Amino acid sequence: MSISTYTELKTEVADFAHRTDLTAKMDTFCILAEAVINKDLRTIDMEKRLAVTFDDAFYDFPSDYLEIRAIHLEDSGARVPIKSYSPQQLDALYSRATGTAAGFSIHGGQLELRPAPSVSSTVDGEISYYARVPTLTTNATNDILTKFPLIYLSTMMLQVYLYLQDDEELKKWSEVYNSQIKQANKSAQSGRYVLPQVQVA
């Protein structure tokens, strides 16, 4: 079984479901499947770094934004991390403060920095975030399909059997999907750290 493109994925979904009448629903299944993947999967392949010049208290996230990882500001060539707070904590700590931004929050679907940068006191920085999976309905392939084809196949099959109202097959594919997501997320976490090399005498 080779699944590296959307065309191959659709072929395998139809084959596994033993159905030839689902072609018109494949894009819908894919959109629903990707919504599930975006909710559950967090791998290094989904991470992005974005250089930003902040000139206001509020900043709109990029269109593919899913979840924040970290924010760093540039200070004389050094990367300085700033701390995450709830909107209420951020207001209480920094609402009247001036100077370099020291905290951030997610507020009203935007990133809020305090103390607030301004047009006359811009600050350069970097946002590290998880990005949405590039949809296969407009892309021939993406990194998640290439590296985790069984995640895509199993979550597409979930949508198929939700549509067909087949609880038995739904349960089977749900187990496959959950297992694959767990393994991928675990591998992503362990892949972040480089273990020290042991010197052999």
Side-chain angles (χ1 to χ4, degrees):
M1 175 182 68
S2 173
I3 306 177
S4 58
T5 67
Y6 186 35
T7 298
E8 292 171 350
L9 176 63
K10 290 186 287 186
T11 298
E12 292 298 335
V13 168
D15 187 48
F16 272 84
H18 306 291
R19 301 286 293 250
T20 59
D21 57 345
L22 298 174
T23 302
K25 302 295 294 183
M26 286 295 180
D27 279 0
T28 299
F29 294 152
C30 184
I31 291 168
L32 294 173
E34 288 171 342
V36 176
I37 291 171
N38 283 327
K39 176 176 66 71
D40 294 338
L41 187 64
R42 293 293 182 270
T43 71
I44 294 173
D45 309 280
M46 298 171 72
E47 295 177 17
K48 283 190 175 182
R49 296 166 57 195
L50 179 65
V52 177
T53 297
F54 296 105
D55 61 3
D56 194 1
F58 291 92
Y59 178 82
D60 289 328
F61 286 113
S63 59
D64 61 353
Y65 168 82
L66 269 180
E67 180 183 326
I68 199 77
R69 292 200 66 245
I71 298 177
H72 292 82
L73 302 182
E74 297 293 332
D75 184 11
S76 302
R79 298 176 76 249
V80 180
I82 61 174
K83 189 175 179 180
S84 172
Y85 296 96
S86 71
Q88 295 78 12
Q89 290 172 324
L90 197 66
D91 285 343
L93 288 169
Y94 298 113
S95 61
R96 298 184 180 180
T98 59
T100 304
F104 75 91
S105 180
I106 311 300
H107 196 172
Q110 293 179 299
L111 175 67
E112 180 182 8
L113 294 182
R114 297 290 179 185
S118 67
V119 174
S120 60
S121 62
T122 61
V123 57
D124 292 331
E126 180 185 87
I127 299 174
S128 174
Y129 69 100
Y130 286 107
R132 296 181 185 279
V133 174
T135 180
L136 293 178
T137 59
T138 55
N139 295 278
T141 190
N142 62 40
D143 287 341
I144 301 304
L145 179 63
T146 300
K147 295 185 179 181
F148 307 103
L150 195 48
I151 286 180
Y152 252 107
L153 176 62
S154 58
T155 193
M156 284 279 283
M157 297 303 293
L158 288 177
Q159 308 315 311
V160 168
Y161 288 117
L162 279 170
Y163 175 73
L164 297 176
Q165 300 182 15
D166 187 328
D167 290 342
E168 184 176 344
E169 288 295 322
L170 187 64
K171 180 180 179 182
K172 180 180 74 175
W173 283 104
S174 179
E175 291 173 353
V176 175
Y177 171 76
N178 289 332
S179 174
Q180 291 298 307
I181 285 287
K182 183 177 180 180
Q183 290 179 33
N185 286 339
K186 183 178 180 180
S187 177
Q189 288 300 314
S190 62
R192 294 185 185 282
Y193 308 103
V194 178
L195 296 177
Q197 294 184 349
V198 177
Q199 296 294 329
V200 179

